Amino acid sequence: SAFESETLPRALEIGDDQVVVPALRVGALGRLSRHDRDGAIRAIEELDARTVGRPGSRGWLLDEAAHVCRDAGAAGALRSLLEGHGPYLLRHRNSALGATAVLAELDGDDDAAVERYAKAAEAWAAFPHVLQHGLSLLGASRCLLELGRSSEAGEQGRAAREVFVRLGAAPLVSETDSLLERATALSG
């Protein structure tokens, strides 16, 4: 892509973290969308390295990093970002709460993940950050389904779907529909 061949190398050449960090965030998401999980995690690890000792800055990374780490199965990378995180702002505290939910899910602790996703959904609804609210509901739904609580998974999934429909986020609607089909099949 033009981003990978032109924008990211130029950002790295500039070397200013105000330019590099956002470029790496976008690069991680782009690589993940092309199923380059190793490349996405390398970008997250680079973000981690560049923000060591700057806990406030790390808060701006957690939402995308948690998404990348969950999809890539990289609990260690997310754990490292969380260890150096300082939740100075409400948004950063909400991001950390959502990231700890993702980490619990990655660690296979679905009970803790459901609890944390529920708290994150509530926090994001009050903030408000509509996308993160929907993603937290979807996370809770995934974990409830893993726990065999298909009826509750369906409730959370339908709430997430409503959010994604309002946003016009077709890929997330599709992902949620797949989850809802599984929940319906298991409860029927």
Side-chain angles (χ1 to χ4, degrees):
S1 75
F3 179 83
E4 294 287 332
S5 64
E6 298 171 24
T7 306
L8 187 56
R10 180 69 180 126
L12 293 169
E13 181 183 314
I14 291 169
D16 183 342
D17 282 349
Q18 293 179 75
V19 175
V20 175
V21 169
L24 285 168
R25 284 171 48 190
V26 170
L29 290 168
R31 289 172 179 163
L32 186 63
S33 73
R34 290 189 310 280
H35 309 290
D36 177 7
R37 291 183 171 157
D38 292 337
I41 293 304
R42 282 194 306 276
I44 296 297
E45 289 168 345
E46 179 70 17
L47 284 169
D48 186 19
R50 285 184 174 274
T51 60
V52 166
R54 297 193 341 240
S57 298
R58 292 166 88 88
W60 296 105
L61 309 174
L62 285 175
D63 298 330
E64 292 88 355
H67 173 75
V68 169
C69 291
R70 185 186 71 78
D71 284 1
L78 183 55
R79 189 172 282 110
S80 182
L81 277 170
L82 279 165
E83 286 171 1
H85 173 257
Y88 299 115
L89 303 173
L90 177 58
R91 185 192 196 295
H92 293 169
R93 288 192 298 270
N94 291 354
S95 294
L97 184 56
T100 62
V102 170
L103 188 57
E105 183 179 4
L106 283 167
D107 287 342
D109 188 350
D110 291 315
D111 286 312
V114 167
E115 181 181 321
R116 292 174 189 166
Y117 275 128
K119 288 179 181 176
E122 184 178 313
W124 285 123
F127 184 70
H129 190 304
V130 180
L131 176 61
Q132 290 303 322
H133 176 236
L135 291 172
S136 296
L137 293 167
L138 180 59
S141 182
R142 274 193 313 271
C143 294
L144 286 162
L145 194 56
E146 287 299 315
L147 291 167
R149 295 163 55 186
S150 56
S151 177
E152 293 169 84
E155 290 172 22
Q156 295 295 304
R158 284 186 293 281
R161 188 181 194 287
E162 288 176 22
V163 169
F164 300 143
V165 167
R166 281 196 325 264
L167 290 173
L172 290 170
V173 170
S174 178
E175 179 181 343
T176 306
D177 285 346
S178 294
L179 188 138
L180 287 169
E181 286 175 18
R182 288 180 35 226
T184 300
L186 290 173
S187 63

